[in-house]
Amino acid sequence: MNFIIGAFKPACHISVAFSDAKSRKQVPLKKENGQTVMVPFFRSQENITGKISVEPILGKKVEHNGIKVELLGQIEMYFDKGNFYDFTSLVRELDVPGEIYERKTFPFEFSTVEMPYETYNGVNVRLRYVLKVTISRGYAGSITEYQDFVVRNYSPTPSINNSIKMEVGIEDCLHIEFEYNKSKYHLKDVILGKIYFLLVRIKIKNMDLEIRRRESTGSGPNTHVETETLAKFELMDGAPVRGESIPIRLFLSPYELTPTYRNINNKFSVKYYLNLVLVDEEDRRYFKQQEITMYRLGETS
Amino acid sequence: MMISNGIEDEEKWLAEGIAGIQHNAFYLHRAVDSNNLREALKYSAQLLSELRTSKLSPHKYYELYMRAFDELRRLEMFFKDEDRHGCSIVDLYELVQHAGNVLPRLYLLCTVGSVYIKSKEAPAKDVLKDLVEMCRAVQNPIRGLFLRSYLAQVSRDKLPDIGSEYEGEGDTVMDAVEFVLQNFTEMNKLWVRMQHQGPVREKEKLEKERSELRDLVGKNLHVLSQIEGVDLEIYRDAVLPRVLEQIVNCKDELAQYYLMDCIIQVFPDEYHLQTLETLLGACPQLQPTVDLKTVLSQLMERLSNYAASSPELLPEFLQVEAFSKLSNAIGKVIEAQVDMPIVGAITLYVSLLSFTLRVHPDRLDYVDQVLGACVKILSGKAKLEDSKATKQVVALLSAPLDKYDDIVTALTLSNYPRVMDHLDAGTNKIMAMVIIRSIMKNKTFVSTSDKVEVLFELIKGLIKDLEGISTDDLDEEDFNEEQNSVACLMHILYNDDPEEMLKIICTVWKHIMAGGPKRLPFTVPPLVFSALKLVRRLQGQDGDVAGEEVPATPRKIFQLLNQIIESLSVVPAPELALRLYLQCAEGANDCDLEPVAYDFFTQAFVLYEEEIADSKAQVTAIHLIIGTLQRMNVFGVENRDTLTHKATGYSAKLLKKPDQCRAVYACSHLFWVDDQDGIKDGERVLLCLKRSLRIANAAQQMANVTRGSSGPVTLFVEILNKYLYYFEKGNPQITASVIQGLIDLIKTEMQSDSATGGPASDAFFTSTLRYIQFQKQKGGAMGEKYEPIKL
């Protein structure tokens, strides 16, 4: 669907305006051409209302077989390019077939739309929400216009949020106990914790905490897994001795994280891990990876 | 990893590091000037990344650190000004923690933290606690030490101390103490750990580098001591136990030594005094190789200075039993440090001794206790070989002497001689000299024979040959000096009570008898004179009370003297003995003890006859005998005749004519004692003079024969003078005409051979004549008497 405005002259100009555009929050969205644009963001079960105006090029008229607006939730797998999977599709008819001579405005409304999934731009998969306006024409082909918007869903503070505490080690070589204060973190959270060295027989050079994102797409034999390291945060410099405890304090806000997505529409999952890495003087790495659950906390402000 | 590739490489790395800092500083300044917080943070983090290097030695790392430090000060100013960067301090405190690398992150955190405290938007203690905790993340010793030192530096003026603006609202001085203590503990751990980093072969270099860093650790203690709110109570209950715990537990020699010293230096003496037990209690727990003697010496030195600063402090010292605590601690330290060389132990006791001498000068028992402890250490070991240890023992023994003007004090210390016994012979002597000098300097009289006994036991190295040391290889000059000192010493042994004095003399005698022939000539004379002095004192009161047992009578003393002088025969020293006999004879004379005096003369004559062979010595001896005899008035006629006869006889038998002549005319005085009741036998005087004239004549002739010219007329002039003496004294046998004859004779002699008179005898004669002329002109009775003599 290679739609570029101005590639060939459209017969008319279509614009979509949300009714609460002025008060609604806008967030950046990365388009497939690499540009970042600001788009409004909605949560599930919100009303999406607005006006669509069609304005023919001066002095021309637009004949059409009807105008409609669709709200689409699409999942796009990059290895399966061009093949969208619409998990949500709502349609509103705006106009019966006829002709438009001058600018005409159509209000539209999608009430309490179920948008269970969040907008997501991954390595191999994209989930997007879009309003699609179609002016159907018999012979000249339809005119379509898209308006992206972002969906983000807040989660309540989890009622159970245990800390992660674990003792790991290599026999007679290294024994550590680490603790992260929670297993579930919201996106602006701070990871607190500590690493306690029970036994150190290797010369450690430094210790990092990594945040890794594991995105798996497809299912069965076609599963693709992509892991990215989003953060590499040095926790410790130098070699500790037995009995030392090293504090952890990692602010998550600087990193571009999303909530954990589990099996979105059977198409993909996004999970987050904390990876504790110890590097010795010979640059050998010792690590332990723990999954954490990310969630989006409702903004209080 | 510390790999040293030589100094050049290090210079290169340092230069690179500095260049990196300068480069980023440029952009940092630009960012700060344009109030761009984001850029400022970015470049400051990059700048601080230069401190992540592992390639530099502490020395060079410090240089790099200082450059970064300067930049951080500038950054801090920027952080303070919220208007410029528009970020609240709380947000800023979070923002800097986004930095990915731990070292730059923590430097920035400390910098912001300092501003945070200053802003008072959070309690100081919370920020401090957070900072000191977060710094744990740097476990590399050098980087960690510098980071924490930076923390200490920026927080110094922001501690919630008493009177500080950061105190109050739950921020107490204890929070400040807690913070500094924790930083100290962590720094010390890092510092101690440094020694285990890097290859073993570079151990020495590492230790040197470590010691360069010690002040970073010690600074914390200094900060603690500067906290106003740390009063004695807090120091005793919180600070000291924690610091000591860390010192003991780190089990590192270098750290333990340095930090103990630090404690002693930075905290007030008053605190030390009140926490002595705790402080000292830690000492035996330290590593056995820690140089505790220096540490403890410092402590004692400080405490004694403190005690000296005000006399009111003394009760405090007594109350805390400072001495016994120190003494105990030293004992325990010596016990714990098995390998401590003996010099170390002695040094400790020297310090303790000077402490007690300064603080408790009245407590002799303390001094003796210290000496006793030394004896314990020295016992079981052979004589000291170690010269350093010997030096310390000398110092130990000298200290009480210097302190107490009264040597007698030292003599009452029962352990004093026992310590001396452990010195080698040479040092023993030196020590003995020190003792003597001290006595001489203070002019303290040693007044009982018991004390004398002790004293001589102490200086026995000088009094007699010690085992295994022969006197042969001694330097004669040194030996003489030593013995002269002993001689001097004897005059200071004195008691007003004659009985006790006699005891003293006997004691000394007993000791010097052991000295052998080399020493006796030095030691006998002072003893003899000392005894004679006693005799003189007795002679006034001596009534020889019949029937009463008086132990100290002159007679007894003379008996003793006889023995004493006799001992010189083993030397042999006949001339000396002779003089002493004569002295005694005089003493006896004054006591009216004729037989005794006679006896002494007899001894003198025996010596003269049998022992004195040298002609010159004979001349001297005979003149002495004559002189002494002349003054004797105790003798009866018979005894006197015998003795004068002997004396004149010996005079005439001297080897050389001139000597004979002079001795004989000297003998003339034996018959003319110019006293009221002295004998005045003019005839025999004249006889003597005539005899001497004859001898002079003979001498003259002999000279003629042998040399073809006459001898000196000096002898004649001398005899003339004798004539004149008796003439004036009114000897009837000496008349003007006799004198006239003699003068003429001399004139003839001189004219007959004017060549030989020599200017000396010429002058002598001339002035004699002038004297006669003078007397004549003076007139009066004497002028008349001289009148007939013509010149």
Side-chain angles (χ1 to χ4, degrees):
Chain A
M1 195 67 187
N2 209 354
F3 176 83
I4 305 164
I5 297 169
F8 61 95
K9 280 228 171 95
C12 62
H13 186 73
I14 304 168
S15 67
V16 181
F18 294 99
S19 50
D20 51 1
K22 275 187 183 156
S23 58
R24 185 160 291 277
K25 200 175 168 188
Q26 300 226 328
V27 293
L29 176 74
K30 214 175 194 177
K31 306 266 281 183
E32 60 247 81
N33 61 8
Q35 283 179 331
T36 304
V37 292
M38 297 303 283
V39 296
F41 104 82
F42 292 88
R43 292 153 60 189
S44 187
Q45 295 190 322
E46 272 193 300
N47 297 333
I48 300 173
T49 60
K51 285 176 183 159
I52 292 163
S53 60
V54 178
E55 192 174 10
I57 305 293
L58 214 63
K60 284 191 174 177
K61 65 167 186 182
V62 178
E63 274 180 79
H64 62 87
N65 298 332
I67 303 173
K68 63 176 179 181
V69 59
E70 292 166 280
L71 190 157
L72 299 173
Q74 303 177 315
I75 294 172
E76 180 187 2
M77 311 289 237
Y78 293 157
F79 53 86
D80 194 10
K81 213 137 195 164
N83 196 0
F84 293 95
Y85 171 77
D86 294 349
F87 57 89
T88 294
S89 178
L90 301 169
V91 188
R92 297 283 181 273
E93 295 292 342
L94 295 179
D95 203 3
V96 291
E99 290 173 351
I100 299 172
Y101 298 96
E102 56 188 355
R103 181 188 163 99
K104 196 170 177 190
T105 308
F106 310 97
F108 69 92
E109 177 173 359
F110 298 96
S111 308
T112 56
V113 192
E114 280 293 336
M115 297 180 289
Y117 310 131
E118 289 199 347
T119 305
Y120 173 69
N121 261 314
V123 184
N124 285 324
V125 65
R126 182 163 76 139
L127 187 150
R128 75 163 189 166
Y129 288 92
V130 66
L131 285 173
K132 183 181 179 188
V133 182
T134 310
I135 302 173
S136 314
R137 291 195 296 185
Y139 53 94
S142 299
I143 303 169
T144 51
E145 172 68 46
Y146 294 88
Q147 172 63 51
D148 281 287
F149 65 94
V150 163
V151 171
R152 286 178 181 174
N153 287 322
Y154 296 142
S155 309
T157 313
S159 55
I160 299 170
N161 197 348
N162 295 325
S163 65
I164 300 174
K165 202 169 177 179
M166 189 172 264
E167 194 185 319
V168 290
I170 308 160
E171 203 172 341
D172 292 334
C173 191
L174 180 69
H175 272 277
I176 63 170
E177 191 181 283
F178 62 82
E179 182 177 350
Y180 308 128
N181 60 336
K182 299 174 191 172
S183 48
K184 295 167 185 161
Y185 293 94
H186 65 79
L187 300 184
K188 307 287 179 196
D189 218 340
V190 189
I191 299 174
L192 298 175
K194 62 171 182 254
I195 297 108
Y196 185 71
F197 286 82
L198 299 164
L199 175 81
V200 191
R201 292 257 172 85
I202 51 172
K203 287 194 170 173
I204 296 170
K205 196 163 69 178
N206 62 339
M207 176 167 69
D208 293 338
L209 188 62
E210 295 175 344
I211 301 173
R212 289 159 73 89
R213 174 156 71 193
R214 190 164 172 273
E215 175 190 292
S216 62
T217 47
S219 57
N222 293 324
T223 310
H224 288 250
V225 176
E226 199 70 45
T227 307
E228 292 170 89
T229 301
L230 299 179
K232 189 166 181 286
F233 187 75
E234 193 182 16
L235 285 180
M236 183 185 75
D237 170 24
V241 294
R242 197 166 65 99
E244 288 290 353
S245 91
I246 307 298
I248 304 172
R249 183 187 294 158
L250 172 55
F251 290 92
L252 295 175
S253 55
Y255 307 105
E256 286 182 22
L257 306 177
T258 69
T260 298
Y261 301 136
R262 289 186 209 284
N263 201 17
I264 299 300
N265 217 254
N266 279 325
K267 296 288 184 209
F268 72 99
S269 297
V270 175
K271 291 179 176 179
Y272 285 89
Y273 296 87
L274 286 180
N275 193 25
L276 185 68
V277 185
L278 289 109
V279 184
D280 74 7
E281 286 187 346
E282 270 91 51
D283 281 329
R284 281 188 293 255
R285 292 160 62 86
Y286 308 83
F287 58 88
K288 179 69 187 173
Q289 195 158 292
Q290 287 293 120
E291 191 188 345
I292 51 168
T293 304
M294 298 302 302
Y295 66 96
R296 194 186 300 277
L297 192 65
E299 280 162 49
T300 46
S301 54
Chain B
M1 202 161 30
M2 308 271 283
I3 296 175
S4 131
N5 289 342
I7 295 156
E8 283 166 38
D9 281 351
E10 219 192 320
E11 289 290 350
K12 200 181 78 197
W13 287 320
L14 175 62
E16 278 173 16
I18 291 173
I21 286 182
Q22 283 169 339
H23 174 79
N24 285 301
F26 171 77
Y27 290 103
L28 173 62
H29 298 166
R30 219 160 63 169
V32 166
D33 289 345
S34 56
N35 298 337
N36 187 333
L37 180 63
R38 180 174 292 277
E39 291 279 291
L41 289 179
K42 177 181 153 196
Y43 286 111
S44 56
Q46 281 180 19
L47 182 151
L48 289 164
S49 285
E50 295 295 339
L51 292 178
R52 297 174 71 208
T53 179
S54 292
K55 291 171 176 167
L56 298 178
S57 68
H59 195 68
K60 296 269 186 287
Y61 190 85
Y62 175 74
E63 214 169 300
L64 204 57
Y65 164 83
M66 281 316 291
R67 300 214 176 220
F69 183 83
D70 292 342
E71 298 303 333
L72 284 172
R73 299 253 61 106
R74 184 188 282 249
L75 192 62
E76 189 182 338
M77 295 303 293
F78 175 60
F79 284 160
K80 263 182 205 159
D81 201 346
E82 194 183 320
D83 291 344
R84 287 178 63 192
H85 53 72
C87 186
S88 79
I89 187 67
V90 184
D91 291 342
L92 197 55
Y93 195 69
E94 180 191 321
L95 204 53
V96 291
Q97 294 185 68
H98 294 174
N101 282 315
V102 62
L103 195 70
R105 181 165 74 231
L106 290 174
Y107 271 106
L108 288 173
L109 190 66
C110 290
T111 312
V112 178
S114 141
V115 180
Y116 198 2
I117 298 173
K118 226 176 161 59
S119 78
K120 293 180 192 157
E121 284 186 33
K125 70 167 174 188
D126 291 350
V127 179
L128 290 173
K129 199 172 155 67
D130 190 51
L131 292 175
V132 79
E133 270 300 316
M134 292 310 282
C135 283
R136 282 176 185 279
V138 179
Q139 292 285 320
N140 174 282
I142 294 182
R143 294 194 285 274
L145 277 170
F146 277 97
L147 171 66
R148 283 184 179 275
S149 142
Y150 178 69
L151 172 59
Q153 179 74 28
V154 297
S155 62
R156 235 186 125 154
D157 53 348
K158 301 177 185 72
L159 300 174
D161 189 5
I162 282 179
S164 133
E165 52 179 312
Y166 305 103
E167 190 212 5
E169 302 253 352
D171 279 346
T172 68
V173 69
M174 281 311 290
D175 296 311
V177 168
E178 190 55 39
F179 166 75
V180 181
L181 275 175
Q182 197 179 341
N183 204 35
F184 161 73
T185 307
E186 293 301 324
M187 282 179 87
N188 190 45
K189 283 202 274 191
L190 290 171
W191 187 45
V192 169
R193 205 189 292 166
M194 228 184 114
Q195 66 188 307
H196 305 301
Q197 316 258 321
V200 180
R201 67 193 147 81
E202 288 180 18
K203 188 138 187 99
E204 209 167 300
K205 186 170 156 258
L206 270 171
E207 285 299 286
K208 196 177 146 273
E209 290 181 351
R210 263 189 76 199
S211 105
E212 287 172 5
L213 290 175
R214 63 186 194 172
D215 288 344
L216 296 184
V217 184
K219 207 166 80 183
N220 287 297
L221 294 180
H222 184 68
V223 171
L224 274 175
S225 74
Q226 299 288 304
I227 299 179
E228 285 283 325
V230 175
D231 53 16
L232 177 61
E233 200 178 323
I234 292 179
Y235 176 75
R236 185 188 56 213
D237 299 340
V239 176
L240 185 64
R242 285 275 298 278
V243 173
L244 285 179
E245 184 193 0
Q246 173 58 27
I247 294 176
V248 169
N249 288 345
C250 79
K251 296 198 190 317
D252 175 67
E253 181 189 341
L254 183 63
Q256 290 184 335
Y257 170 70
Y258 171 70
L259 293 174
M260 285 304 279
D261 196 43
C262 249
I263 292 183
I264 291 167
Q265 302 298 341
V266 301
F267 290 107
D269 299 322
E270 180 199 346
Y271 290 8
H272 294 321
L273 187 63
Q274 297 299 334
T275 56
L276 210 48
E277 191 148 15
T278 320
L279 184 61
L280 293 172
C283 291
Q285 299 176 57
L286 303 181
Q287 296 304 99
T289 42
V290 174
D291 180 14
L292 275 174
K293 67 170 192 304
T294 312
V295 172
L296 289 176
S297 301
Q298 290 267 27
L299 175 65
M300 289 185 270
E301 163 99 29
R302 282 194 63 129
L303 286 179
S304 24
N305 285 338
Y306 177 57
S309 68
S310 160
E312 287 142 40
L313 294 168
L314 191 62
E316 275 183 52
F317 278 81
L318 293 171
Q319 197 197 341
V320 302
E321 295 176 320
F323 174 78
S324 62
K325 276 176 189 161
L326 285 166
S327 175
N328 272 339
I330 290 173
K332 281 193 185 132
V333 163
I334 291 170
E335 215 169 278
Q337 301 205 343
V338 201
D339 292 333
M340 185 196 273
I342 198 134
V343 55
I346 303 288
T347 311
L348 275 173
Y349 280 115
V350 171
S351 305
L352 179 61
L353 188 67
S354 44
F355 168 81
T356 183
L357 286 174
R358 289 183 64 184
V359 180
H360 307 293
D362 51 331
R363 295 298 297 264
L364 265 181
D365 54 332
Y366 284 173
V367 177
D368 205 34
Q369 215 173 309
V370 176
L371 293 173
C374 286
V375 170
K376 225 166 93 190
I377 289 173
L378 291 166
S379 65
K381 302 204 165 65
K383 296 260 176 192
L384 280 173
E385 301 289 337
D386 179 3
S387 66
K388 279 187 193 151
T390 307
K391 237 186 207 157
Q392 287 303 324
V393 176
V394 171
L396 184 79
L397 292 170
S398 307
L401 299 181
D402 294 343
K403 177 70 195 182
Y404 299 111
D405 299 343
D406 185 3
I407 185 66
V408 180
T409 314
L411 298 181
T412 56
L413 301 168
S414 64
N415 283 309
Y416 199 96
R418 292 167 66 197
V419 175
M420 265 190 90
D421 281 346
H422 288 278
L423 290 170
D424 64 79
T427 321
N428 205 316
K429 274 202 259 186
I430 292 170
M431 199 56 233
M433 289 292 281
V434 170
I435 294 174
I436 293 176
R437 253 179 242 131
S438 158
I439 296 175
M440 302 310 294
K441 199 181 86 195
N442 298 310
K443 299 250 182 287
T444 28
F445 288 105
V446 181
S447 58
T448 69
S449 67
D450 291 347
K451 284 177 185 166
V452 171
E453 181 76 44
V454 178
L455 176 61
F456 273 72
E457 191 56 36
L458 279 183
I459 60 166
K460 65 184 173 206
L462 298 179
I463 301 301
K464 60 184 181 194
D465 293 344
L466 293 177
E467 284 163 56
I469 304 287
S470 80
T471 44
D472 300 343
D473 31 306
L474 286 174
D475 183 69
E476 196 179 342
E477 222 169 283
D478 289 350
F479 180 81
N480 290 353
E481 199 198 322
E482 287 165 19
Q483 295 309 314
N484 281 330
S485 301
V486 175
C488 289
L489 176 67
M490 288 191 202
H491 295 293
I492 228 129
L493 315 175
Y494 179 79
N495 194 315
D496 277 332
D497 176 29
E499 204 177 313
E500 190 58 41
M501 189 63 209
L502 182 60
K503 272 196 201 159
I504 291 176
I505 290 168
C506 290
T507 311
V508 174
W509 170 231
K510 188 184 81 197
H511 280 280
I512 66 171
M513 274 290 276
K518 283 198 76 169
R519 288 189 182 80
L520 283 173
F522 290 94
T523 49
V524 165
L527 185 63
V528 167
F529 282 102
S530 179
L532 285 172
K533 241 194 262 173
L534 177 60
V535 169
R536 292 245 147 78
R537 267 198 286 145
L538 285 171
Q539 105 199 13
Q541 65 204 51
D542 181 61
D544 247 343
V545 190
E548 234 180 284
E549 190 61 34
V550 181
T553 62
R555 201 180 291 275
K556 276 193 183 161
I557 298 170
F558 282 122
Q559 263 168 25
L560 179 67
L561 280 168
N562 214 336
Q563 287 172 32
I564 295 174
I565 300 170
E566 214 177 296
S567 69
L568 286 173
S569 61
V570 297
V571 179
E575 293 152 54
L576 178 61
L578 183 129
R579 284 161 193 260
L580 294 174
Y581 280 133
L582 294 175
Q583 284 292 341
C584 291
E586 265 202 89
N589 175 66
D590 295 345
C591 291
D592 240 5
L593 294 169
E594 185 182 356
V596 178
Y598 188 80
D599 196 40
F600 281 122
F601 261 98
T602 319
Q603 300 278 12
F605 278 122
V606 170
L607 278 178
Y608 182 84
E609 273 170 46
E610 292 174 3
E611 305 284 342
I612 299 176
D614 178 63
S615 60
K616 267 193 190 137
Q618 281 181 343
V619 173
T620 317
I622 201 72
H623 278 283
L624 284 168
I625 291 173
I626 295 164
T628 312
L629 190 54
Q630 197 262 347
R631 282 194 297 278
M632 304 299 275
N633 51 22
V634 75
F635 293 129
V637 182
E638 197 180 327
N639 278 343
R640 191 178 173 88
D641 272 358
T642 322
L643 294 173
T644 43
H645 185 72
K646 272 267 185 227
T648 29
Y650 287 134
S651 303
K653 277 185 209 138
L654 288 170
L655 183 66
K656 292 181 193 155
K657 289 285 178 200
D659 292 339
Q660 280 178 19
C661 172
R662 288 189 176 108
V664 170
Y665 71 63
C667 281
S668 67
H669 287 286
L670 292 176
F671 307 105
W672 192 277
V673 178
D674 193 27
D675 274 344
Q676 231 172 2
D677 8 284
I679 67 161
K680 293 193 171 61
D681 189 342
E683 226 167 295
R684 291 176 76 174
V685 168
L686 187 63
L687 266 169
C688 281
L689 294 179
K690 279 186 171 159
R691 194 166 172 189
S692 65
L693 261 179
R694 276 204 302 279
I695 301 169
N697 250 326
Q700 189 81 342
Q701 275 158 21
M702 245 166 72
N704 264 332
V705 173
T706 49
R707 274 176 276 151
S709 66
S710 60
V713 290
T714 320
L715 284 174
F716 292 112
V717 184
E718 286 168 20
I719 297 167
L720 171 62
N721 274 283
K722 288 288 166 205
Y723 270 93
L724 290 176
Y725 171 80
Y726 291 112
F727 181 60
E728 285 183 14
K729 292 293 172 196
N731 185 336
Q733 302 296 319
I734 312 295
T735 58
S737 63
V738 178
I739 292 171
Q740 185 72 61
L742 188 54
I743 293 173
D744 293 345
L745 171 75
I746 296 170
K747 281 184 174 162
T748 329
E749 283 291 330
M750 289 178 94
Q751 276 159 8
S752 73
D753 202 335
S754 53
T756 50
S761 54
D762 269 0
F764 190 16
F765 184 54
T766 317
S767 57
T768 308
L769 293 181
R770 204 183 303 128
Y771 174 76
I772 297 169
Q773 187 65 40
F774 169 73
Q775 289 292 5
K776 281 166 76 158
Q777 283 169 0
K778 209 167 74 174
M782 198 52 77
E784 266 170 45
K785 210 169 173 190
Y786 272 102
E787 195 47 50
I789 300 172
K790 298 200 169 53
L791 301 174

